[in-house]
Amino acid sequence: MNNIKLPKILFVGGKGGVGKSTTSSSIAMSLSSGENPNKVLLVSTDPAHNLGDIFDVNFKNSITKVNENLSIIEIDSSLEAKNYVQQVAKNMRGFVSASSYGRIDDYFAKVADSSSTLEAALFERLTTILTNEANDYDYIIIDTAPTGHTLRLFFMPKELRDWSKTLLSMQERGGMSEKVLGHLEGGSKNRFSDPDGFIRGQLIETLDERYNRYSAFSNLVKDPNQCGIILVLNASKLAIAETQRAIQSLSQKGLKPYAIVLNKVLPTDSADDFLSSRIAQESEYVLQSDEIFRNYRYAKMPLFKQDIITKDSLKIFGDTLLKIINK
Ligand SMILES: Nc1ncnc2c1ncn2[C@@H]1O[C@H](COP(=O)(O)OP(=O)(O)OP(=O)(O)O)[C@@H](O)[C@H]1O
Ligand SMILES: [Mg+2]
């Protein structure tokens, strides 16, 4: 699809089950097909991935081409975290006696499963993709896990950036801890000839690269021409409330969503008693949503007869959605 002007990077967030994967996949399908297709990368950061089911391919942890213009990756944060802490545990062995190896391995196995390690590992990979791969694509669409997770991804850069800076200044002050940190950061070659200098150099390089990458991500997120967030909801009290809270969190950082998608809207009438009653209940929330989100790009997407899992239905959904939010 062409003649569409969207930010290059789009995050899609919202409450569980509202249609985030459908929205992100359909936007990716739509942008990457038609007469003047764009090059699109679709990234899933949701640990409970389902793009593989939608596109019938196993994308685990590496960028895979679905066709000439569409590539997909499902980031496997537990694998990323495991690899990272395994490396750290291996390097730690250089500092302790052999009898402690078992305890080190146990400790790092536990750390690998912690939610903050998983999030940090996911973020590490995501920022690397956005930094290294961005030039290869016209658009990068990011399917996320339920709301809190999306917003944390969005807001993480400042915290991590500050943290990298603190580590950098600790490095400059020196001390024993730097040797350990240097080792944790992967200093190994040449460490016997000039351990301090080598480890210090390696660590500073790693932290510098990370600081720059996080700073770039932080600037990207703040630039509405380059990056936007689409919030998806359904016509229900809880989903409206959660979307309002997400908007509030974004506005505290001086940001606002690029668009709001009210998804799975029922038809306006039905001869069926059961459906009529559902429609009556929902219509109250549809009206509320129309009113609350009237100042945003706002798309109301109907509930399709079937789940949106075929490429054709994804394309129809995506084309319709993009036309509405680009009006
Ligand atoms: N407008 C729609 N009409 C019909 N089915 C839909 C519509 N939107 C989404 N669905 C279906 O609803 C289900 C949930 O959608 P989806 O997986 O996109 O939600 P999600 O927000 O990504 O969920 P999760 O929070 O679990 O990641 C899927 O089976 C999808 O095909
Ligand atoms: Mg999903």
Side-chain angles (χ1 to χ4, degrees):
M1 192 174 204
N2 50 5
N3 301 329
I4 290 282
K5 192 75 206 101
L6 291 169
K8 177 172 178 134
I9 294 164
L10 269 179
F11 283 78
V12 178
K15 205 170 148 34
V18 291
K20 298 176 293 297
S21 300
T22 305
T23 300
S24 44
S25 308
S26 68
I27 291 176
M29 268 303 280
S30 192
L31 290 171
S32 62
S33 51
E35 268 181 29
N36 285 313
N38 298 281
K39 293 255 180 246
V40 180
L41 175 64
L42 175 59
V43 181
S44 170
T45 63
D46 184 353
H49 296 294
N50 57 7
L51 298 184
D53 300 334
I54 294 178
F55 289 92
D56 231 358
V57 180
N58 182 0
F59 303 112
K60 267 221 171 308
N61 226 27
S62 60
I63 296 177
T64 306
K65 266 193 167 194
V66 174
N67 59 46
E68 199 32 44
N69 299 303
L70 177 60
S71 301
I72 303 188
I73 176 169
E74 293 184 329
I75 299 177
D76 185 343
S77 41
S78 68
L79 185 68
E80 296 281 333
K82 215 161 133 198
N83 289 344
Y84 180 70
V85 298
Q86 259 173 10
Q87 186 60 37
V88 173
K90 205 170 118 209
N91 291 336
M92 277 290 280
R93 289 178 173 211
F95 293 95
V96 298
S97 64
S99 61
S100 303
Y101 289 177
R103 268 189 293 150
I104 288 187
D105 289 347
D106 286 352
Y107 173 75
F108 281 107
K110 284 196 188 100
V111 171
D113 278 341
S114 82
S115 57
S116 43
T117 306
L118 291 172
E119 264 183 17
L122 168 65
F123 187 74
E124 188 69 20
R125 184 74 195 266
L126 179 64
T127 52
T128 306
I129 290 174
L130 293 180
T131 319
N132 297 349
E133 316 286 338
N135 289 340
D136 295 345
Y137 301 96
D138 300 310
Y139 292 103
I140 301 181
I141 315 292
I142 300 149
D143 177 26
T144 69
T147 316
H149 176 260
T150 320
L151 295 181
R152 276 201 302 281
L153 273 184
F154 233 66
F155 298 148
M156 200 164 323
K158 189 172 165 3
E159 288 152 30
L160 287 180
R161 207 173 41 146
D162 292 351
W163 180 72
S164 293
K165 201 163 197 175
T166 311
L167 286 183
L168 266 173
S169 65
M170 272 167 61
Q171 263 294 298
E172 272 139 28
R173 270 186 259 123
M176 177 57 198
S177 60
E178 80 190 24
K179 285 189 201 165
V180 179
L181 279 172
H183 223 67
L184 294 186
E185 294 291 340
S188 59
K189 270 185 276 157
N190 266 343
R191 66 176 183 266
F192 299 112
S193 52
D194 176 16
D196 280 8
F198 181 74
I199 290 169
R200 179 191 285 260
Q202 283 256 306
L203 177 54
I204 288 181
E205 222 172 77
T206 307
L207 291 178
D208 242 6
E209 187 276 326
R210 199 171 283 167
Y211 180 79
N212 291 335
R213 182 155 38 87
Y214 292 169
S215 300
F217 183 82
S218 180
N219 290 334
L220 189 77
V221 161
K222 276 188 270 169
D223 180 353
N225 294 317
Q226 286 202 72
C227 184
I229 180 164
I230 294 184
L231 295 174
V232 186
L233 77 155
N234 298 149
S236 75
K237 191 175 170 174
L238 295 182
I240 291 175
E242 188 161 320
T243 309
Q244 285 180 295
R245 278 197 297 274
I247 290 177
Q248 210 178 4
S249 306
L250 286 169
S251 81
Q252 281 164 4
K253 310 270 176 180
L255 301 168
K256 62 180 221 175
Y258 178 77
I260 310 282
V261 176
L262 180 67
N263 187 27
K264 302 192 190 181
V265 178
L266 291 167
T268 45
D269 51 47
S270 165
D272 181 85
D273 262 5
F274 174 82
L275 259 182
S276 298
S277 145
R278 296 294 314 179
I279 289 167
Q281 182 191 308
E282 191 192 74
S283 63
E284 193 188 316
Y285 294 113
V286 173
L287 284 176
Q288 269 189 31
S289 171
D290 291 352
E291 173 59 21
I292 293 170
F293 305 118
R294 69 182 184 285
N295 293 327
Y296 297 92
R297 291 183 187 86
Y298 178 64
K300 264 195 278 191
M301 298 303 295
L303 178 70
F304 281 31
K305 278 188 191 157
Q306 263 108 29
D307 279 354
I308 304 174
I309 43 175
T310 63
K311 289 186 182 138
D312 286 345
S313 59
L314 283 170
K315 170 121 174 67
I316 293 170
F317 190 94
D319 284 356
T320 314
L321 175 56
L322 289 180
K323 259 188 208 127
I324 301 175
I325 60 178
N326 264 274
K327 257 207 314 249

